[in-house]
């Protein structure tokens, strides 16, 4: 349950943290409103581990899907924050999980990011609570300002609340957010 699999899954599936490297602990997906029209478009980045294996934005189905999502939602992310947006949930029992976009709307290059992720429904029935997430520079690379990277998280298929999650009732929380 506590594995993070970067871009190896074929499955696809917010939360703001202050840009001083500490979690605000107050944001939810509903807080991630569109930023002003003058805000630069998000640029999807291929994570280092994938790029090292020859993956590009054009030769991988997940990256194509995420590029399409960003093109349809160019102003996603929380201004002056790092945030996450749930893109896709997979309820396939062999690979249950989610694909998120980690979005950097700060003016800083973020690397070696760590935080704890909680995913629940709007009634606070947790699918995962304080799951440690590590986006190391060796595996992910550095996330540029106005950049986004996919984050794939596996879930326990036996969690009864996971089967009830959907885009209308998912709630995300990040705590202990740190970066270099």
């Amino acid at each position: 349950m506590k594995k993070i699999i970067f871009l190896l899954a074929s499955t696809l599936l917010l939360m703001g943290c202050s840009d001083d490297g500490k979690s605000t602990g107050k944001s939810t997906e509903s807080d991630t409103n569109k930023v002003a029209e003058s805000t630069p478009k998000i640029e999807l980045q291929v994570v280092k581990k994938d790029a090292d294996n020859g993956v590009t934005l054009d030769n991988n189905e997940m990256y194509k899907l995420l590029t399409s999502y960003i093109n349809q939602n160019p102003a996603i992310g929380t201004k002056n924050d790092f945030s996450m947006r749930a893109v896709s949930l997979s309820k396939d029992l062999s690979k249950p999980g989610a694909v998120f976009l980690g979005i950097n709307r700060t003016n800083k290059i973020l690397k070696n990011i760590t935080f704890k992720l909680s995913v629940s429904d709007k009634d606070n029935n947790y699918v995962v609570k304080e799951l440690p997430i590590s986006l190391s520079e060796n595996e992910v690379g550095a996330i540029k300002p106005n950049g986004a990277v996919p984050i794939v998280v596996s879930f326990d298929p036996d969690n009864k609340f996971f089967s009830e999650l959907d885009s209308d009732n998912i709630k995300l929380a990040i705590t202990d957010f740190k970066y270099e």
Side-chain angles (χ1 to χ4, degrees):
M1 173 169 98
K2 295 197 175 193
K3 283 187 186 176
I4 300 173
I5 304 171
F6 292 98
L7 311 172
L8 299 176
S10 62
T11 60
L12 297 180
L13 174 62
L14 142 102
M15 177 71 219
C17 295
S18 66
D19 70 344
D20 63 359
K22 297 179 183 171
S23 171
T24 63
K26 295 181 182 176
S27 297
T28 64
E29 186 156 5
S30 62
D31 293 334
T32 304
N33 298 322
K34 288 189 174 182
V35 292
E37 291 297 322
S38 63
T39 301
K41 181 180 173 187
I42 290 293
E43 177 186 342
L44 181 61
Q45 298 174 220
V46 176
V47 299
K48 184 179 184 314
K49 186 175 181 179
D50 286 338
D52 291 348
N53 288 314
V55 173
T56 69
L57 295 176
D58 299 321
N59 72 3
N60 179 279
E61 289 305 313
M62 184 172 64
Y63 281 102
K64 287 179 185 178
L65 177 69
L66 293 173
T67 298
S68 175
Y69 182 84
I70 289 171
N71 289 339
Q72 292 172 14
N73 301 281
I76 59 172
T78 303
K79 188 176 181 178
N80 298 320
D81 266 343
F82 173 85
S83 60
M84 286 179 63
R85 173 70 62 130
V87 177
S88 179
L89 288 169
S90 171
K91 297 186 180 176
D92 177 347
L93 291 180
S94 66
K95 296 180 185 178
V99 174
F100 301 93
L101 274 175
I103 305 162
N104 179 10
R105 283 287 188 188
T106 72
N107 61 359
K108 300 175 183 178
I109 295 172
L110 305 179
K111 58 186 178 180
N112 295 318
I113 299 168
T114 61
F115 57 89
K116 293 179 183 171
L117 175 66
S118 295
V119 179
S120 68
D121 64 18
K122 294 202 175 179
D123 293 326
N124 291 323
N125 297 308
Y126 287 93
V127 175
V128 293
K129 189 169 184 179
E130 297 188 346
L131 176 69
I133 303 288
S134 175
L135 307 177
S136 74
E137 186 174 15
N138 289 336
E139 289 190 5
V140 176
I143 307 174
K144 299 182 282 189
N146 298 304
V149 296
I151 302 169
V152 180
V153 178
S154 297
F155 294 135
D156 180 355
D158 296 326
N159 184 301
K160 66 181 181 176
F161 300 115
F162 178 64
S163 64
E164 299 170 11
L165 279 184
D166 61 36
S167 61
D168 293 326
N169 104 353
I170 192 169
K171 182 176 163 185
L172 307 173
I174 290 176
T175 55
D176 298 330
F177 183 83
K178 296 178 180 127
Y179 67 90
E180 291 179 11

